[in-house]
Amino acid sequence: MSARLRTLGGLSLDLGDPPATGRATQRKRLALLALLAAARNGGLSRDKIIAYLWPERDTEQSRHALSQALYALRRELGDTCIVAGIDELCLDHEQVPSDVAQLNAAIASGDLTTIAALHTGPFLDGFHLPDAPEFEEWVAQRRAEYERAYTAALDELAARALANGDARRAVGCLQQRAAVDPLNSEVALRLMRARAAAGDRAGALRHFRTHAALLREELQIEPDAELAAFAAACSHAQPDHRHAPVPQAAAAAPPEPARPRRRIATRARVAAALAVTAVLVFAIAVARGGRDDVTSQVVLAAVSGPDTALSMAVREALRAELEQSDGARVLGDAVSAHTLELMRLPPSTLLDEQRALEVAHRRGVPYVITASVQPVGTGAQIVVRLLDVARDRVVATVTRRPNREQEVLGAVGSIAADVRERVTRMPARTTSPLPAVTTASLPALRNYALARHALSSWDRQRALELLEAALVHDSSFALAHYLAGDLLWYIDKQRHSDEHMERAVQLAERLPPREQLIVRARYQQLVRDEPDSALVYWKLLADSYPDEPLAYEGLRWAYRALGRTREMAEASARGARYDGAQRRNAYYDRLTLSLQSGDSAGAMEASLHLENPQGGLLLWLLGRNRLPPPALLRSVPPNSRHAALLIAHRFDEAAVQLDSMRSASLQWYPRALLAQARMEWAFAPSARARACLARVLTWIENADLSPPAYARLAERTAELAARMNDRDALRRLRNLIDQQDRGRDLRSYRIARSTLDAADAFMRGDFATAAQASIQYRDSMFYARSNATVLLLHADALAAGGRRADARRILQQLAEQRVSPDGDMEILPLIAHIAAARLAALQEAS
C-alpha cells in the first residue's frame, strides 16, 4: 500500500483515498507516526513514546495502548512499516516516506533549496493532544526549530539571488519569508526593494499597504520612516503598472547536473539553436494569443532528461510549436508559478508530472503534456505523453528518435503537430477552475470548492460537511476555517463559529496577502464586532485584487453593518460582475435602495429578478400601506405573509402562521413573535401579546447568536417591554447582554445598552432621559439594526414629555419610511403602519 505522512502544515496520512471518518480515534496513531518520522537517531524508545502520548495512564495500560496503536498501524500500512528493536521502535522510511524525514536530511546536509521547498507550513500545524503535555512541548520545540531553519534558508537564498542579480528569484524567497513573519518591517522592506528591483513597483506598494494595515491592527503602530520613504519613492516612480504580476525567474529549473565533458559544447550549441528558434516561434504565438478559436488549454510540464540545458530548450521549442497554430494554448509560466504558490511551494519549483497535474486540476485545464529527452549516440530520443486530467489517464504517446543533433528541432515540430492534431480531434472541454486559495492538499481544495458550490444553491448543511472534510485533509487550511466560521455564524452557531475564525486568524500569518486580508477582515467583523475595521481590510482587498469576488461580498456586509445602503448596493453590483452567486444580493440591495428612496419603478424591476419576486412586490405594497391580493399572499414566504396579515389587523390568522416559522432559520421565529406582540399591543392589547414577549425572551436566552443578533433582538424586545411595563424582561435582557459581552464592550452591545437605558427610563416615566438615550446612537449601526424601532420609542417619549411637534415630525418620517440608516427593511412597513396611526391620533388630539 502506498502511503505518505505529511507533517508540515498539518498532520495527515495520505493513502490515496479520503481519510476515515473516525479521525478522532486515530489521533494518537498519527502522533506516533509523527514521533517516529521525526526521530533523527533512527528511532525512539517505547518508554519515551509512552511518556509523550499516554502520560496519564499506568505502565500496563500505556503499554497496552501502544501495542494497540502499533497493531492498527501495521494492519493498515503493512507489517514492516514499524520495525521493533529490543527497546526501540523505528519507522521504515521507504515504506512510509514523510516530509519531516526529508527535511531533517536537508538540514543535516545544508541543502537550502530543499529546506525552502519542503517547509510548506508549521510542523504539525493545527494538531493537538490536550491530554499529552509532553507531546505538545515536543511539537512546539520542533516547530520552532524547523521554522528557524526555514527562515534562515529563505534569507540566505534571497541574499544569494540578489548578489547574482536575480531579483525575481529573491522576490519569491522573500514572499515566503514575509508570510512567516508578516509584522517584521525589516523583511517587508527587503521584499519591497526586491520587487522594485524586479520592476514591480506596484507590487512593492501593495505589500507596503498590507504590512501597514497589519501593523496598525495588531500593534497599533505606524510603519517606520524608512518603509514609508521607500513606498513614497515607489509611488512616484514611472511606469507603475498597478496590478502587474511579478515576472517569474527565467532560471526556474534546478542547478544543471554534471555531464560528460565531451558532450557539453555540442549540447550547448543545440540548446542555443533551439532557444533562438523557440523565441522566434514563440513571438508568433504571442501575436496570435488573442485568437478565440483555440480548442483546448494544456499544462506543459518540465521536460525531464540528464541534460538540463537541452531539456529546457526542448520544452520552449515544444511550447512555441504547440501555440504556432490553432489547436492548443499552453498555460503561461506566470500562472503556473502563482498556482505553485497557492500549493505552498516556491514559484521556482520544478513542474514535474505530478505537480503539472495538480496545477491543471486547480486551473481547470483539461490536458497535461509531459516529455523526456534522452541523448542517444549523436542524436536523441524524445517521448511526449498527452494526459487527460479529468480521466487521469494517458490518451496519447508520441515518440521521435532523431539520429543527428540537427534533426532535433524538426522532431520537436513533428511531435507538436501530432499532439496538436490529437488535441483538436478530442471533444472540446472546459473544466471549472478550483478557487485560487492556498492549501497544499488538492483533496482539501476540491472539498472547499464543492462547499462553495453547495452554498451557491443554499445547501448549507452540505457545505459544512464538505468543509469539515477539507479540514480533515488539511487542518491548517485557513480559508476552510474562515468559510466554516462564516457559515456557522449565519446559522446561529456563534461559539463554534468563533473557534473556526480564531483558528483562521492564527493561521493567517503564514498566508499570502490576499488571503490574509480576507481572513482578518471577517475576523474583525464576526469575532471582534468591528465592521469599520473590517471595512479597511475589505477596501484594501478590492483595491489590490479588483477581480476578487470575496472583496465585494465583504464590502457589502460591512456597509450594511454600518448602515451605508448606497455603498452596499454599489459593492454588491460590482461583485455580481465577478461572481454570479452575488447577483441575488445585488438585486435585493437595489430593491432596498429603491424602497428607501421612493423609486417605485426601480423597486418593481429589482423585485422581478429576485428568487422570490412576489416577496419583493409584497414588500413594496406593504411599504405603501396597500394590502396585497390573496393570490399574491399565498405565494410569498411565511414571514412576508405574516407581516401582511398583521398590517391587515388579521391577528388571529397571523398567529396561526407563527408555528410555521418555529423551525425556520435566520431568526424568523423570534422576529415574528415580536412583530405579533408589537402590532397587537399597538392596536388591540391582549394576553397573547404578553405571551409572545415571554416566548421571545426564552428563545433569546437559549440561543447561540452573534453580538449584532443578540443586540438587535434585545433592542426590539426592550422597546416592547417598556410599553408593557415589564421590568423583569428588561432585567433579563440586561443580564443577557452583560453575560455575552464579558467585559469586552463590543460595538453592538454598547449601542444596545443605550436602548435598554431608554426603555428603562420610559417605563419609569422619565421621558426626557428616554428621548435622549434613544437617539444617543441614532446614526450608529450594527448588522440588521432597526433604527425605526428605536425612533418609534423616541417619538413616543417626546409626545409623552409634551414635545408633540417634534414627535409628529419623527412619526411623519417613520410613516413615510424615510429612515436612514436602517438595516432591516422587513420591519419598516410594520413600524410605518404604527407610526401612521400614532400620527393620526396626535393630530386629532391637537
Side-chain angles (χ1 to χ4, degrees):
M1 176 178 292
S2 175
R4 179 174 176 79
L5 184 69
R6 184 175 71 89
T7 66
L8 297 163
L11 179 58
S12 62
L13 183 65
D14 183 6
L15 299 173
D17 295 311
T21 54
R23 61 188 176 108
T25 64
Q26 302 177 11
R27 297 181 71 80
K28 291 288 177 73
R29 300 175 202 169
L30 285 173
L32 173 57
L33 286 176
L35 281 166
L36 296 175
R40 295 193 182 92
N41 59 354
L44 283 177
S45 69
R46 292 174 183 267
D47 289 342
K48 191 63 176 175
I49 292 171
I50 287 170
Y52 278 134
L53 300 181
W54 294 280
E56 79 288 354
R57 301 190 185 187
D58 59 34
T59 303
E60 183 178 349
Q61 287 180 327
S62 57
R63 287 191 175 276
H64 178 70
L66 175 57
S67 297
Q68 289 292 102
L70 290 172
Y71 172 77
L73 288 171
R74 285 167 173 157
R75 185 175 182 181
E76 190 170 14
L77 303 177
D79 292 339
T80 61
C81 68
I82 297 176
V83 181
I86 296 175
D87 186 50
E88 282 194 337
L89 297 175
C90 302
L91 186 68
D92 184 337
H93 292 291
E94 290 188 3
Q95 190 168 346
V96 186
S98 66
D99 51 5
V100 69
Q102 292 178 280
L103 182 61
N104 282 335
I107 292 172
S109 64
D111 186 349
L112 302 180
T113 302
T114 301
I115 294 171
L118 285 172
H119 195 281
T120 55
F123 181 61
L124 268 56
D125 196 21
F127 184 86
H128 298 284
L129 294 178
D131 59 342
E134 283 201 29
F135 176 80
E136 294 281 299
E137 183 178 350
W138 173 79
V139 170
Q141 291 173 352
R142 284 297 178 91
R143 183 177 295 161
E145 178 184 338
Y146 291 142
E147 186 165 291
R148 284 194 299 269
Y150 174 59
T151 55
L154 291 174
D155 287 339
E156 180 61 24
L157 288 170
R160 291 179 186 179
L162 288 171
N164 294 330
D166 192 349
R168 296 166 182 171
R169 175 167 285 186
V171 167
C173 294
L174 289 170
Q175 279 182 306
Q176 294 172 258
R177 183 68 175 84
V180 176
D181 194 1
L183 298 176
N184 189 322
S185 292
E186 186 270 335
V187 174
L189 182 59
R190 287 166 57 201
L191 175 55
M192 290 167 62
R193 284 174 171 165
R195 280 194 177 279
D200 183 29
R201 297 186 182 91
L205 284 171
R206 284 199 301 274
H207 187 73
F208 171 75
R209 288 194 292 268
T210 302
H211 181 70
L214 291 175
L215 290 177
R216 295 183 186 111
E217 178 59 39
E218 300 296 330
L219 304 179
Q220 290 76 51
I221 62 174
E222 292 296 318
D224 62 37
E226 191 174 6
L227 267 175
F230 189 78
C234 287
S235 66
H236 290 97
Q238 295 295 331
D240 183 9
H241 304 291
R242 184 174 182 80
H243 302 293
V246 181
Q248 302 302 316
E256 181 179 343
R259 300 188 301 278
R261 288 181 177 273
R262 60 187 173 83
R263 302 212 51 86
I264 290 179
T266 305
R267 295 296 171 204
R269 287 196 300 272
V270 175
L274 287 173
V276 171
T277 307
V279 169
L280 294 175
V281 181
F282 185 67
I284 298 172
V286 170
R288 300 172 56 88
R291 63 183 183 271
D292 297 325
D293 53 353
V294 174
T295 58
S296 291
Q297 194 173 37
V298 299
V299 172
L300 180 59
V303 176
S304 62
D307 189 330
T308 304
L310 180 62
S311 296
M312 292 174 64
V314 166
R315 183 178 186 273
E316 285 307 308
L318 184 58
R319 171 206 291 279
E321 290 285 351
L322 286 169
E323 292 204 327
Q324 185 176 8
S325 60
D326 303 338
R329 179 163 54 89
V330 179
L331 190 71
D333 283 344
V335 178
S336 295
H338 174 62
T339 309
L340 288 168
E341 288 182 306
L342 297 176
M343 295 160 59
R344 298 182 183 171
L345 294 171
S348 58
T349 300
L350 189 71
L351 200 65
D352 59 16
E353 179 178 320
Q354 190 59 41
R355 292 187 178 114
L357 283 168
E358 181 160 351
V359 167
H361 273 296
R362 288 171 177 260
R363 304 298 307 190
V365 177
Y367 301 108
V368 164
I369 294 175
T370 67
S372 65
V373 55
Q374 184 77 29
V376 178
T378 59
Q381 176 168 293
I382 307 171
V383 180
V384 174
R385 298 191 307 158
L386 179 65
L387 287 74
D388 186 315
V389 176
R391 296 178 177 84
D392 194 23
R393 64 185 179 90
V394 177
V395 294
T397 301
V398 183
T399 303
R400 297 288 189 276
R401 188 169 177 173
N403 294 319
R404 296 183 301 166
E405 292 167 349
Q406 295 86 342
E407 298 171 358
V408 170
L409 184 59
V412 172
S414 172
I415 290 173
D418 196 341
V419 171
R420 190 168 54 244
E421 182 182 355
R422 292 170 188 257
V423 170
T424 304
R425 287 203 308 263
M426 293 177 183
R429 292 205 322 270
T430 58
T431 306
S432 298
L434 297 174
V437 295
T438 304
T439 176
S441 168
L442 181 58
L445 183 59
R446 283 173 169 161
N447 280 307
Y448 175 84
L450 289 171
R452 291 201 66 86
H453 179 72
L455 280 178
S456 69
S457 57
W458 306 102
D459 190 349
R460 299 185 180 92
Q461 185 57 43
R462 176 62 177 157
L464 268 176
E465 292 171 359
L466 289 164
L467 290 170
E468 289 293 338
L471 290 169
V472 169
H473 286 287
D474 184 359
S475 61
S476 65
F477 191 176
L479 276 199
H481 282 292
Y482 153 85
L483 190 57
D486 188 69
L487 182 54
L488 289 162
W489 163 82
Y490 190 82
I491 61 175
D492 293 335
K493 294 185 178 179
Q494 185 66 26
R495 283 185 288 273
H496 197 183
S497 170
D498 283 352
E499 291 172 3
H500 277 289
M501 294 305 301
E502 292 280 3
R503 185 67 185 129
V505 83
Q506 289 168 8
L507 295 165
E509 292 185 357
R510 298 193 58 83
L511 293 176
R514 183 185 73 94
E515 294 186 74
Q516 279 203 42
L517 291 171
I518 291 170
V519 168
R520 292 181 185 279
R522 206 65 170 127
Y523 174 78
Q524 290 295 319
Q525 199 162 332
L526 297 190
V527 179
R528 298 186 62 170
D529 192 30
E530 295 180 2
D532 45 358
S533 296
L535 184 61
V536 174
Y537 285 115
W538 291 126
K539 281 183 174 180
L540 185 56
L541 180 67
D543 182 50
S544 302
Y545 305 92
D547 58 347
E548 172 52 64
L550 285 175
Y552 306 105
E553 183 180 315
L555 283 172
R556 177 184 184 268
W557 286 107
Y559 281 132
R560 184 178 179 189
L562 294 169
R564 294 160 65 171
T565 310
R566 186 170 297 279
E567 289 159 298
M568 174 187 75
E570 291 172 356
S572 60
R574 291 176 66 189
R577 300 175 196 166
Y578 303 104
D579 182 7
Q582 294 192 39
R583 289 175 187 160
R584 174 184 177 274
N585 290 337
Y587 286 120
Y588 179 82
D589 293 344
R590 184 179 171 190
L591 171 65
T592 300
L593 191 62
S594 298
L595 288 173
Q596 287 187 343
S597 63
D599 180 6
S600 301
M604 290 289 261
E605 182 184 352
S607 69
L608 294 176
H609 291 88
L610 292 176
E611 185 177 347
N612 187 312
Q614 295 89 350
L617 178 59
L618 179 64
L619 202 60
W620 181 83
L621 290 171
L622 296 181
R624 301 299 174 273
N625 274 324
R626 293 167 57 182
L627 295 181
L632 176 60
L633 202 57
R634 287 192 296 270
S635 66
V636 297
N639 61 325
S640 299
R641 189 180 314 126
H642 180 254
L645 291 171
L646 289 176
I647 287 180
H649 292 197
R650 292 153 62 176
F651 299 137
D652 291 340
E653 293 177 63
V656 173
Q657 296 291 320
L658 290 173
D659 287 337
S660 66
M661 289 180 277
R662 187 182 295 273
S663 60
S665 60
L666 302 176
Q667 301 146 37
W668 277 8
Y669 183 58
R671 289 157 64 184
L673 287 171
L674 285 170
Q676 183 85 30
R678 174 175 287 108
M679 291 294 287
E680 288 205 39
W681 197 259
F683 296 101
S686 65
R688 183 167 56 198
R690 288 190 177 276
C692 285
L693 179 65
R695 287 156 70 185
V696 167
L697 277 168
T698 301
W699 190 97
I700 297 174
E701 289 172 335
N702 288 283
D704 181 16
L705 307 177
S706 65
Y710 275 123
R712 64 176 172 259
L713 287 174
E715 281 194 333
R716 298 177 193 188
T717 308
E719 180 261 349
L720 191 55
R723 302 181 187 285
M724 295 182 177
N725 199 32
D726 192 333
R727 296 187 181 277
D728 182 63
L730 272 181
R731 178 189 59 79
R732 289 165 63 184
L733 288 170
R734 199 178 294 277
N735 288 341
L736 174 73
I737 293 297
D738 291 342
Q739 289 169 6
Q740 295 299 326
D741 197 11
R742 302 190 301 277
R744 293 174 294 173
D745 194 32
L746 296 184
R747 173 194 181 94
S748 299
Y749 295 139
R750 187 166 59 250
I751 295 172
R753 284 191 182 96
S754 178
T755 302
L756 293 180
D757 290 341
D760 183 67
F762 188 91
M763 202 160 39
R764 290 186 283 103
D766 185 355
F767 300 118
T769 300
Q772 183 177 1
S774 62
I775 61 166
Q776 180 180 356
Y777 290 101
R778 174 174 179 172
D779 295 326
S780 298
M781 287 295 293
F782 48 74
Y783 188 79
R785 185 191 189 206
S786 171
N787 266 348
T789 304
V790 183
L791 279 177
L792 186 63
L793 181 65
H794 177 64
D796 286 347
L798 291 174
R803 297 171 56 184
R804 295 192 172 187
D806 292 334
R808 282 196 295 270
R809 178 175 52 81
I810 300 296
L811 290 171
Q812 185 69 43
Q813 292 176 358
L814 290 170
E816 296 173 359
Q817 298 192 41
R818 290 186 290 110
V819 184
S820 183
D822 197 283
D824 190 347
M825 287 300 298
E826 292 181 0
I827 201 173
L828 278 178
L830 301 178
I831 299 295
H833 191 71
I834 295 173
R838 300 270 172 85
L839 182 62
L842 277 179
Q843 290 173 340
E844 184 177 346
S846 61

